[in-house]
Amino acid sequence: MTDFDFDLFVIGAGSGGVRAARMAALRGARVAIAEEYRVGGTCVIRGCVPKKFLVYAAAYGKAFKEAAGYGWSVGEVRHDWAKLCANLHDEVDRLSGIYWKNLSNSGVEIFQDRAELEDAHTVRLIAGGRTISARYILIAVGGAPARLGIEGDELAISSNEVFLLKQRPQRIVIAGGGYIACEFAQVFAGLGSEVCQIYRGDTVLRGFDDDVRAHIHDELKRSGVRVMTHANITRIEEAGDGARRVYTDTGEELTADVVIQAVGRVAHTQGLGLDKAGVETAADGAIIVDKFSKTNVDNIYAVGDVTNRINLTPVAIREGAAFAATVFGDDPTAFDHADVASAVFTQPPVGVVGLTEHEARKAYGAVDIYKATFKPMKNALSGSESRMLVKLVVKQDDQRVVGVHMAGDDSPEIIQAVGIAVKAGLTKQQFDATCAVHPTVAEELVTLKDKWTPPEIT
Ligand code: NDP
């Protein structure tokens, strides 16, 4: 029998890789992990965690303005970007350190190096020059920002670099209408920048329920973001003093201090040696896996964004844990990707779980829709015109709630709990049998009485 250096070699110490490595090591496997950048991955280092700090920072700006309606007099307010970033990076460093400590406390050997596949059982450490053999290999290298591929691409940054900006740009152009574009548009608008978001479609957040899309589109505009739709950036040029000139296919030219491309992410598999190991990928570069996260090569698995299933941190973590249970726990476990709740940290934020109205109609035909948009109580005095959306999608035949869509303050917090009810397959009647908590925005979830009927077209 071949003697391998390790039972498991994990490439990539992000959310999925770290969880898998720790769970495998705790089950007695000899585990190594390689990370080319920093332990923690996109979520901790340059994604969810630092982004949420920026979201909190922007929310203070809004709160100062709204406090007047509640009797507060707030003097001149100023924001110190450098201080925010310093504090944010301190916290990111702390979290990365905890990830590192947890790995090593579990007995995982960490290589701060890029690893590439040599064959199905061997990886090469690029800086160290060493080759290492392993019985199993887990690829958890995540994704990398996609690029528009236009003239002047290099003059734009991606979300990765936002956290490294030395000062807050006053004029920002953001390409894209997805999670990242919408979140950063409102972060920077909230901090006082002039933001123009350029989106090729008609309404932002494609893939979300149409009511959520329309709601957030309105809220982006309400918070001062200029949303240019049916538009594409065609070229970027230097405009002197570090500024950029942005050309669009609508004929408009814009000048910005920073251009951010937030046009999706692609599997980070370039140069990884997948061909040497015979690992198959899809047309978009994502690694193809089965429900146990196994690739076409028996001893090679992949989890997280590199597989382009649902590209969210908690999903990668569950996939990593399921992999460890399957391979090292003698407990075949396939993570169930249905009804995964998610949030978009716009202002107000979005929380969704289950099917959109469109998806439910396609899957089940007849559905009942319950929805309300209203001014949340807080805004009665705050002066904010921001509104709340609550929508339930109910399968007509058995009255199961198959989708919940919310946009408004605290939606991400609320949707985590509602996600349990949707995942458990509860019905509209069971929602209604639950007594409201008053006065809250969430009580709408259990008090929606009237079915929504589409307006008649005359
Ligand atoms: P998304 O896939 O959400 O959005 C990409 C956007 O870019 C879409 O609006 C898309 O338009 C547009 N786009 C793509 N290609 C082009 C092109 N060639 N020209 C013009 N526009 C283009 O990606 P993001 O980059 O925003 O985020 C990446 C992933 O990261 C998300 O899918 C999500 O999984 C994760 N994420 C999750 C967050 C959260 O949970 N809160 C926060 C941030 C990221 P169109 O709609 O027409 O395709």
Side-chain angles (χ1 to χ4, degrees), residues 51 148 177-180 183 199-200 206 232 262-264 311-312 343:
K51 180 274 311 284
L148 285 174
Y179 280 83
I180 296 179
E183 289 179 343
Y199 177 49
R200 63 182 176 183
R206 188 167 63 81
N232 286 282
V263 290
N311 299 335
L312 299 171

Side-chain angles (χ1 to χ4, degrees), residues 48 51 146-148 159 175-183 198-201 203-208 213 231-233 261-265 305 310-313 342-345:
C48 323
K51 180 274 311 284
R147 283 286 175 170
L148 285 174
S159 57
Y179 280 83
I180 296 179
C182 293
E183 289 179 343
I198 300 183
Y199 177 49
R200 63 182 176 183
T203 312
V204 296
L205 292 179
R206 188 167 63 81
F208 283 78
R213 299 179 68 192
N232 286 282
I233 299 179
Q261 290 188 13
V263 290
R265 293 175 65 86
D305 290 7
I310 300 179
N311 299 335
L312 299 171
T313 286
S342 75
V344 188
F345 291 95

Side-chain angles (χ1 to χ4, degrees), residues 16-356:
V18 167
R19 179 57 60 99
R22 287 184 55 218
M23 293 295 121
L26 292 172
R27 289 185 152 98
R30 296 169 306 142
V31 183
I33 193 165
E35 170 56 51
E36 64 180 342
Y37 188 52
R38 293 181 64 192
V39 170
T42 298
C43 171
V44 174
I45 307 297
R46 50 197 175 188
C48 323
V49 170
K51 180 274 311 284
K52 187 109 189 250
F53 285 124
L54 297 189
V55 171
Y56 283 132
Y60 275 104
K62 194 169 164 225
F64 290 138
K65 286 188 203 132
E66 295 178 359
Y70 282 91
W72 290 97
S73 302
V74 181
E76 189 202 349
V77 291
R78 259 173 300 133
H79 185 258
D80 185 340
W81 171 262
K83 185 169 185 180
L84 165 65
C85 288
N87 290 343
L88 171 161
H89 287 301
D90 282 351
E91 179 59 10
V92 165
D93 290 349
R94 191 183 73 83
L95 293 173
S96 179
I98 289 175
Y99 268 64
W100 186 292
K101 205 158 59 191
N102 286 345
L103 278 170
S104 48
N105 286 350
S106 314
V108 176
E109 188 161 341
I110 306 167
F111 294 101
Q112 185 83 67
D113 202 340
R114 176 173 170 82
E116 294 177 4
L117 293 162
E118 284 286 300
D119 62 42
H121 285 285
T122 315
V123 296
R124 174 177 294 281
L125 296 177
I126 299 307
R130 182 177 157 194
T131 55
I132 295 172
S133 66
R135 186 178 305 277
Y136 290 97
I137 292 174
L138 177 70
I139 303 170
V141 295
R147 283 286 175 170
L148 285 174
I150 52 170
E151 197 184 324
D153 243 5
E154 70 288 354
L155 299 173
I157 63 169
S158 74
S159 57
N160 285 353
E161 289 80 42
V162 165
F163 307 103
L164 305 175
L165 290 169
K166 293 282 173 249
Q167 55 196 25
R168 176 178 59 78
Q170 188 51 36
R171 299 163 298 176
I172 305 182
V173 167
I174 302 179
Y179 280 83
I180 296 179
C182 293
E183 289 179 343
F184 280 126
Q186 269 173 332
V187 159
F188 282 107
L191 291 174
S193 300
E194 292 161 40
V195 182
C196 178
Q197 191 177 344
I198 300 183
Y199 177 49
R200 63 182 176 183
D202 53 1
T203 312
V204 296
L205 292 179
R206 188 167 63 81
F208 283 78
D209 188 274
D210 285 343
D211 283 311
V212 169
R213 299 179 68 192
H215 195 91
I216 293 304
H217 199 125
D218 284 348
E219 294 289 351
L220 279 162
K221 291 194 281 187
R222 209 193 302 283
S223 60
V225 175
R226 176 175 175 210
V227 189
M228 266 176 84
T229 51
H230 302 289
N232 286 282
I233 299 179
T234 51
R235 184 159 53 100
I236 308 169
E237 277 177 4
E238 293 198 48
D241 289 336
R244 300 337 189 190
R245 181 146 308 119
V246 176
Y247 296 85
T248 68
D249 59 1
T250 58
E252 191 163 348
E253 291 175 24
L254 301 150
T255 305
D257 301 307
V258 164
V259 181
I260 304 173
Q261 290 188 13
V263 290
R265 293 175 65 86
V266 287
H268 188 44
T269 49
Q270 220 180 0
L272 200 59
L274 295 180
D275 49 337
K276 293 185 188 164
V279 176
E280 284 176 5
T281 55
D284 61 4
I287 295 177
I288 301 167
V289 289
D290 68 12
K291 65 178 182 176
F292 297 108
S293 297
K294 188 162 90 168
T295 69
N296 61 305
V297 180
D298 256 354
N299 69 302
I300 302 185
Y301 288 68
V303 295
D305 290 7
V306 75
T307 62
N308 196 21
R309 285 174 282 181
I310 300 179
N311 299 335
L312 299 171
T313 286
V315 172
I317 289 173
R318 290 297 182 102
E319 289 169 354
F323 155 79
T326 302
V327 176
F328 297 103
D330 202 18
D331 175 20
T333 307
F335 172 65
D336 175 10
H337 289 83
D339 298 328
V340 171
S342 75
V344 188
F345 291 95
T346 40
Q347 290 180 28
V350 172
V352 301
V353 64
L355 302 182
T356 65

Side-chain angles (χ1 to χ4, degrees), residues 314-392:
V315 172
I317 289 173
R318 290 297 182 102
E319 289 169 354
F323 155 79
T326 302
V327 176
F328 297 103
D330 202 18
D331 175 20
T333 307
F335 172 65
D336 175 10
H337 289 83
D339 298 328
V340 171
S342 75
V344 188
F345 291 95
T346 40
Q347 290 180 28
V350 172
V352 301
V353 64
L355 302 182
T356 65
E357 178 180 343
H358 181 75
E359 288 167 341
R361 286 193 192 284
K362 211 164 142 199
Y364 303 122
V367 295
D368 294 337
I369 301 298
Y370 296 84
K371 62 182 175 183
T373 51
F374 56 94
K375 192 170 180 171
M377 184 181 165
K378 184 180 172 192
N379 293 349
L381 301 195
S382 74
S384 167
E385 293 298 323
S386 187
R387 293 176 71 76
M388 179 93 200
L389 164 74
V390 177
K391 176 171 179 177
L392 302 185

